[in-house]
Amino acid sequence: MKITEFCSVWLTVKKRSLSPTTEQSYADALQRVILPFFGDMEIEKITSLDVEMFVAALYGRNLASETIRRYLAIFRSMMTKAVTLGLISGNPAEHGKIEPIRRKEQSFNVLDDVGLMQLLSAVDSVELRWKVYVYFALDTGARRGECVGLQWKDIQGREVWIRRSGYKLTGKPKATKEPKGRRSRKVYVAARTAELLGALRREQKKNCLKVGKSWKDSFFVFGDFEEMLHPSSPTSWFSKFLKRHNLPKIRLHDLRHTSATQLLLHGVDLRTVSGRLGHADLEVTQRYLHFMADADKDAAEKVDLFLYQNKKMV
């Protein structure tokens, strides 16, 4: 059996345990990366050397190490299923240690106190929906899909449940799924964030009256009543907002990174931050700790100013 034939069998079985967006990403990986390399090969003739050549080809495309690792994991999973089905006697992707060499990890942007103050000063003048979105994202560290999928029934005072994530696949209608990791989580928001959410709820209820609708707690917080916001809309709005106010260019997802870093800098423990962000384990959250080291260096400089005041000591 050729890899081309086996791919469809594997994905049909595998998709039962995948979210719709993950299934789509697997299908894309197969079509764009794995099949062009292995497609015409007989599955039982693939060797460990072929897999190593596959990894080398991915490096030749200058892909990030995490991307290479993901493609290799997908192929390894396919070969594991082939072993289970008795099509091959051993997994060529498991022979030896076929691991991509780690490259320098991609950096991400985190707003410092000044940058955060500038951002919030500008966002205070925008439409209420977007103002609340930005404050909510910074408060909770929620992902874009989680913000888009939020419904009023998920909010009780300062208690917010992250129960779903909005997404949109090409050629298909908008839909929701479970949050990443398939785990709902409860977060408490700041009192002022709760006030902003209350103001947005009142505005939505007024808009319901204008169009003759009965308000329901199943309406989407940042959407148009029962119509969920398109998942790409916040990204598009945020990019235009930054440009309009001459603010430094960052990604919408950097609000999540900023939320985590600010919490750590203000003394919140790592496990609590990890829980708020919905991380699967503490290791993911630990990547923010290098910002703590940078802050500590800045603190040392300030100590030098107030303690020694530029005096010559020796």
Side-chain angles (χ1 to χ4, degrees), residues 1-7 9 41-44 87:
M1 179 182 286
K2 291 185 176 182
I3 284 290
T4 305
E5 301 171 272
F6 183 66
C7 271
V9 175
M41 299 178 70
E42 296 289 338
I43 193 168
E44 67 272 12
L87 298 176

Side-chain angles (χ1 to χ4, degrees), residues 117-135:
M117 184 171 60
Q118 290 174 337
L119 176 77
L120 295 178
S121 177
V123 87
D124 281 340
S125 63
V126 304
E127 177 190 343
L128 182 60
R129 169 167 59 177
W130 294 118
K131 175 180 178 177
V132 179
Y133 184 102
V134 171
Y135 274 96

Side-chain angles (χ1 to χ4, degrees), residues 53 59 69 97-99 150 159 184 279 306:
M53 294 302 293
Y59 271 121
R69 203 170 282 118
K97 290 187 177 180
I98 308 172
E99 290 293 337
L150 190 69
E159 184 180 293
S184 296
H279 285 160
F306 76 72

Side-chain angles (χ1 to χ4, degrees), residues 272-292:
T272 299
V273 175
S274 182
R276 284 181 73 84
L277 270 61
H279 285 160
D281 54 61
L282 288 178
E283 186 178 346
V284 180
T285 318
Q286 285 174 340
R287 61 183 170 165
Y288 298 112
L289 293 180
H290 74 275
F291 288 101
M292 300 286 287

Side-chain angles (χ1 to χ4, degrees), residues 159-177:
E159 184 180 293
V160 178
W161 276 95
I162 306 294
R163 293 189 173 103
R164 70 194 68 78
S165 178
Y167 70 96
K168 172 73 170 66
L169 298 179
T170 304
K172 295 184 179 181
K174 292 174 289 187
T176 62
K177 60 176 183 175

Side-chain angles (χ1 to χ4, degrees), residues 49-299:
L49 179 59
D50 293 323
V51 180
E52 288 188 14
M53 294 302 293
F54 172 59
V55 173
L58 294 179
Y59 271 121
R61 294 169 58 173
N62 199 33
L63 299 175
S65 61
E66 286 302 320
T67 302
I68 295 173
R69 203 170 282 118
R70 183 169 65 87
Y71 289 145
L72 181 57
I74 292 172
F75 184 74
R76 184 181 288 125
S77 176
M78 286 177 54
M79 294 297 98
T80 298
K81 176 56 69 173
V83 172
T84 303
L85 296 174
L87 298 176
I88 54 178
S89 58
N91 188 338
E94 291 288 0
H95 184 75
K97 290 187 177 180
I98 308 172
E99 290 293 337
I101 300 170
R102 286 184 66 86
R103 297 178 177 178
K104 185 178 179 181
E105 295 296 330
Q106 281 189 312
S107 61
F108 46 81
N109 292 312
V110 169
L111 295 172
D112 59 17
D113 290 343
V114 174
L116 184 57
M117 184 171 60
Q118 290 174 337
L119 176 77
L120 295 178
S121 177
V123 87
D124 281 340
S125 63
V126 304
E127 177 190 343
L128 182 60
R129 169 167 59 177
W130 294 118
K131 175 180 178 177
V132 179
Y133 184 102
V134 171
Y135 274 96
F136 181 81
L138 285 166
D139 186 325
T140 62
R143 301 174 179 92
R144 181 184 69 174
E146 294 169 347
C147 292
V148 167
L150 190 69
Q151 296 175 328
W152 289 112
K153 62 185 177 182
D154 302 322
I155 303 172
Q156 297 294 329
R158 294 176 58 183
E159 184 180 293
V160 178
W161 276 95
I162 306 294
R163 293 189 173 103
R164 70 194 68 78
S165 178
Y167 70 96
K168 172 73 170 66
L169 298 179
T170 304
K172 295 184 179 181
K174 292 174 289 187
T176 62
K177 60 176 183 175
E178 291 177 295
K180 191 173 182 178
R182 300 190 174 189
R183 293 187 304 178
S184 296
R185 66 186 187 276
K186 179 174 67 176
V187 296
Y188 286 93
V189 297
R192 293 185 183 181
T193 302
E195 289 173 6
L196 283 171
L197 286 166
L200 184 60
R201 190 197 311 244
R202 290 191 295 274
E203 180 180 87
Q204 193 181 88
K205 286 183 175 181
K206 287 180 182 178
N207 290 334
C208 279
L209 291 174
K210 290 178 182 178
V211 297
K213 275 183 174 288
S214 296
W215 185 86
K216 300 176 182 178
D217 65 1
S218 60
F219 286 169
F220 289 96
V221 174
F222 300 109
D224 296 313
F225 308 126
E226 68 275 2
E227 183 72 17
M228 185 177 72
L229 196 66
H230 193 291
S232 67
S233 294
T235 303
S236 176
W237 173 84
F238 192 64
S239 178
K240 293 174 183 176
F241 161 76
L242 294 176
K243 188 174 182 179
R244 186 165 59 250
H245 292 273
N246 296 313
L247 293 171
K249 186 177 180 180
I250 62 171
R251 302 172 307 159
L252 180 69
H253 197 71
D254 289 327
L255 298 182
R256 177 173 166 83
H257 297 318
T258 298
S259 175
T261 305
Q262 287 289 335
L263 287 172
L264 290 169
L265 288 172
H266 285 81
V268 181
D269 66 274
L270 195 66
R271 188 170 296 279
T272 299
V273 175
S274 182
R276 284 181 73 84
L277 270 61
H279 285 160
D281 54 61
L282 288 178
E283 186 178 346
V284 180
T285 318
Q286 285 174 340
R287 61 183 170 165
Y288 298 112
L289 293 180
H290 74 275
F291 288 101
M292 300 286 287
D294 292 340
D296 190 53
K297 290 176 185 176
D298 291 339

